[in-house]
Amino acid sequence: MDFFFFVLLEMILPLLLRRSSSIQRLSIHLRDDLGHHKSRILSFSPPLASVTHGLINSRRILTPFVHPLRRFMSQGSGTIDNHTNLMTEAFIPTGDIHKESSSSSSSSSSSSSSSHSTSTSNYLGYWLLGTAGMVFAMVSLGGITRLTRSGLSIVEWRPEGEKLPQTDEEWRVEFEKYKSFPEYKRVNSRMSLDEFKPIYFMEWAHRMWGRALGVVFGVPLVVFIVRGMIPQGFTLRLAGLFLLGGGQGAIGWWMVKSGLEHERFEGAENSHVRVSVSPYRLATHLSMAFSLYSLLLWNAWDMFLLSAKERQSLITFAESSVVSRLRPFVLGSAGVIATTVFSGAFVAGNDAGHAYNDWPLFAGQIVPEDIWIPSLGLRNFFENTACVQFVHRNLAYSSLASVALLHTVCARQGGLNKFPITVQRGIIFMSVLVTFQASLGIVTLMLYVPVELGALHQAGSLALWTSALYTVHSIVRVRRGLPLAPM
Ligand code: HEM
């Protein structure tokens, strides 16, 4: 009986009544398991809207039929459309239902506001995706800056940015400043002004790109907030991302400063000590860039999920046990890939790609001879070239193995096509990209890290991470369920 009531209310009445020319809209207020309030709007013709309104405004009537249905759904007995699924899976109705309007004209405005919010969240999603793309380009530009040894050419930092020198005199001033720092003194003492210009330009472009990113993200953010276009729950997240971006600029300068400190390189005139930034600061800078990129993507995908189509495709898998079995393996694989990326920063930071350039062995050994320098202790993992490269290679193999394991688990659950399409897509991309990335790493190493391959290897790591994050996002969102409507 309860179920009949629900079907009448939720499925048949709206279908019949939407055909009517004069439509009323009822706003139904619901509360989820965490106590968050959501609302849903249904359309009815005026006479039946009154009946329906009276009928469902009673908590005593609504609540009893929803709970049996929730049980029915969780037992997985039967197929119910997504509308019902949303109603019962993710939220407990409070039974609090209000009539929103009584004329067809206001109903159309309410309808347009609902579809407007969906398309707004799509636009916001594309904006976030665009800024994530700019971060991708920024990381790649940063990689080229490092590989071309341009990063220490601008020896000052101003939040508003440095002006690109225009006259010979301005160029000479900048060059003179550079000459007083360790990189020029120890490495580039024969550099001419003409050789200085391209490295200066590279670093300048990297910094200015970062500022452009701040504007492309910050200005629309303020406009969206002022116009109330940001869906509930996103404002703080996005404001936090803006601050994180600003922090990344400061971390970049903190990293560069470590390569400008005279005392770090004192007494090293005749030793093999390289003039470069601290590997720890480089790893912090790279990890922050990856985090910023990941959070932008995550929020962009969340925005897209607010559109009904995507929401439906995920929610139908809410009770699927195959998805729950795969989830820890996806999370584990993403964790191993993230650790490989992190260790890569130390390979780059220690210039470890210029040693042990044979493969699969290390100078003919399975384990490099000087893998452990006792005086360094745990710092071996971050500062000893042999150890750093050994760890990175083995983590890369583990990444490959973890993705292969994903395929095995999928096969055991009946094949990849048993999973939501987004999870399928993510796993396929992960497989292709992890194979490409590991092969590229080997070639890059064996060719002594040419700039093009080094830069491609860095971009490849970001592409691989994107596929892993996408898979994680898909599988996490399947579990959580989603809001009923954009708020
Ligand atoms: C899942 C596979 C891999 C991932 C995700 C990965 C990731 C990374 C990352 C993030 C960097 C730092 C890039 C930078 O900051 O410029 C890096 C550097 C490096 N990786 Fe990998 N890597 C992988 C596999 C490999 C393999 C298999 C090798 C070699 C056997 C390798 C060799 C190197 C070398 C030589 C560098 C230093 C390049 C430079 O100085 O710019 N990588 N890797």
Side-chain angles (χ1 to χ4, degrees):
M1 179 60 190
D2 287 337
F3 181 57
F4 166 74
F5 222 25
F6 190 88
V7 170
L8 176 75
L9 208 70
E10 275 290 303
M11 297 164 76
I12 300 174
L13 277 183
L15 278 178
L16 290 176
L17 301 174
R18 260 187 207 127
R19 298 211 180 131
S20 162
S21 56
S22 172
I23 289 176
Q24 275 199 349
R25 303 185 70 78
L26 296 182
S27 159
I28 303 181
H29 295 270
L30 308 162
R31 198 187 62 234
D32 70 13
D33 295 332
L34 298 172
H36 300 135
H37 287 271
K38 309 279 166 189
S39 62
R40 179 159 190 80
I41 296 167
L42 295 176
S43 310
F44 302 92
S45 67
L48 280 156
S50 306
V51 176
T52 314
H53 181 236
L55 200 63
I56 60 184
N57 210 5
S58 154
R59 232 195 179 96
R60 273 173 311 172
I61 295 173
L62 189 66
T63 312
F65 73 67
V66 168
H67 287 292
L69 194 75
R70 280 170 67 87
R71 280 200 298 279
F72 169 79
M73 286 297 299
S74 60
Q75 285 156 11
S77 49
T79 314
I80 288 183
D81 78 0
N82 284 303
H83 183 104
T84 316
N85 195 353
L86 283 170
M87 204 47 197
T88 56
E89 274 302 304
F91 299 98
I92 302 167
T94 59
D96 223 351
I97 298 172
H98 303 289
K99 202 185 272 191
E100 193 164 79
S101 63
S102 56
S103 75
S104 58
S105 66
S106 57
S107 94
S108 69
S109 80
S110 151
S111 157
S112 72
S113 98
S114 167
S115 63
H116 168 75
S117 7
T118 299
S119 62
T120 303
S121 59
N122 268 340
Y123 288 134
L124 293 174
Y126 286 120
W127 162 64
L128 290 173
L129 219 51
T131 44
M134 281 184 78
V135 174
F136 193 118
M138 175 93 192
V139 173
S140 306
L141 214 55
I144 300 172
T145 305
R146 184 182 59 75
L147 287 157
T148 53
R149 301 211 149 271
S150 308
L152 300 175
S153 56
I154 306 185
V155 295
E156 290 163 343
W157 186 72
R158 280 184 286 272
E160 73 280 12
E162 297 73 25
K163 184 173 156 282
L164 187 66
Q166 301 295 320
T167 62
D168 283 350
E169 185 47 34
E170 283 174 354
W171 273 114
R172 256 192 297 277
V173 170
E174 289 305 310
F175 194 33
E176 287 310 313
K177 286 184 201 161
Y178 175 63
K179 281 181 175 174
S180 59
F181 283 89
E183 187 175 65
Y184 178 83
K185 288 184 179 165
R186 297 192 200 290
V187 186
N188 288 337
S189 55
R190 291 176 189 200
M191 182 178 258
S192 67
L193 178 60
D194 282 342
E195 287 168 331
F196 173 69
K197 285 180 182 175
I199 65 164
Y200 186 98
F201 181 78
M202 195 66 234
E203 171 66 2
W204 179 83
H206 179 57
R207 293 186 186 194
M208 292 317 284
W209 189 261
R211 290 182 177 102
L213 190 51
V215 173
V216 168
F217 187 68
V219 173
L221 178 65
V222 173
V223 174
F224 295 148
I225 291 177
V226 169
R227 298 188 63 182
M229 288 164 73
I230 310 260
Q232 197 184 34
F234 280 86
T235 310
L236 268 185
R237 292 202 222 172
L238 299 184
L241 277 180
F242 183 72
L243 293 180
L244 205 63
Q248 173 68 343
I251 288 175
W253 173 238
W254 175 65
M255 174 186 76
V256 168
K257 258 176 73 179
S258 67
L260 300 173
E261 287 161 358
H262 296 278
E263 52 281 14
R264 263 189 81 215
F265 309 105
E266 256 164 27
E269 283 82 358
N270 300 317
S271 78
H272 64 281
V273 170
R274 294 165 303 113
V275 177
S276 59
V277 300
S278 147
Y280 295 100
R281 296 191 191 184
L282 186 135
T284 310
H285 190 53
L286 189 73
S287 310
M288 278 285 288
F290 268 73
S291 309
L292 191 60
Y293 174 74
S294 308
L295 291 169
L296 282 166
L297 281 183
W298 192 272
N299 281 289
W301 293 329
D302 271 357
M303 288 280 184
F304 290 132
L305 281 180
L306 289 178
S307 85
K309 191 169 153 263
E310 288 276 355
R311 191 171 61 210
Q312 283 177 3
S313 71
L314 283 175
I315 291 276
T316 39
F317 282 84
E319 284 303 308
S320 166
S321 64
V322 288
V323 167
S324 347
R325 288 208 190 107
L326 185 64
R327 191 171 297 119
F329 293 93
V330 168
L331 294 176
S333 180
V336 177
I337 291 170
T339 317
T340 312
V341 168
F342 186 65
S343 79
F346 286 94
V347 181
N350 286 288
D351 261 337
H354 289 111
Y356 304 104
N357 298 87
D358 53 338
W359 185 85
L361 300 177
F362 292 79
Q365 313 272 329
I366 294 177
V367 177
E369 249 168 35
D370 46 359
I371 190 166
W372 198 257
I373 301 170
S375 60
L376 283 181
L378 283 180
R379 280 161 57 207
N380 275 290
F381 288 109
F382 310 107
E383 295 178 31
N384 172 2
T385 301
C387 185
V388 162
Q389 203 194 111
F390 184 80
V391 168
H392 185 58
R393 284 197 202 186
N394 283 291
L395 279 170
Y397 305 146
S398 313
S399 298
L400 272 169
S402 73
V403 177
L405 187 63
L406 282 185
H407 281 280
T408 315
V409 176
C410 288
R412 290 242 171 107
Q413 300 300 314
L416 201 54
N417 59 2
K418 288 277 177 292
F419 294 89
I421 183 69
T422 46
V423 175
Q424 291 181 36
R425 249 186 243 150
I427 291 180
I428 289 169
F429 275 115
M430 280 173 85
S431 320
V432 173
L433 289 168
V434 76
T435 313
F436 171 78
Q437 178 67 0
S439 318
L440 183 63
I442 294 167
V443 178
T444 307
L445 177 74
M446 293 179 89
L447 295 179
Y448 292 83
V449 195
V451 173
E452 305 76 18
L453 292 188
L456 193 61
H457 187 60
Q458 195 195 44
S461 68
L462 210 49
L464 170 62
W465 173 242
T466 307
S467 65
L469 192 71
Y470 180 82
T471 318
V472 169
H473 183 267
S474 306
I475 215 144
V476 164
R477 285 304 185 234
V478 170
R479 185 186 54 170
R480 290 248 178 100
L482 292 154
L484 283 176
M487 301 283 285

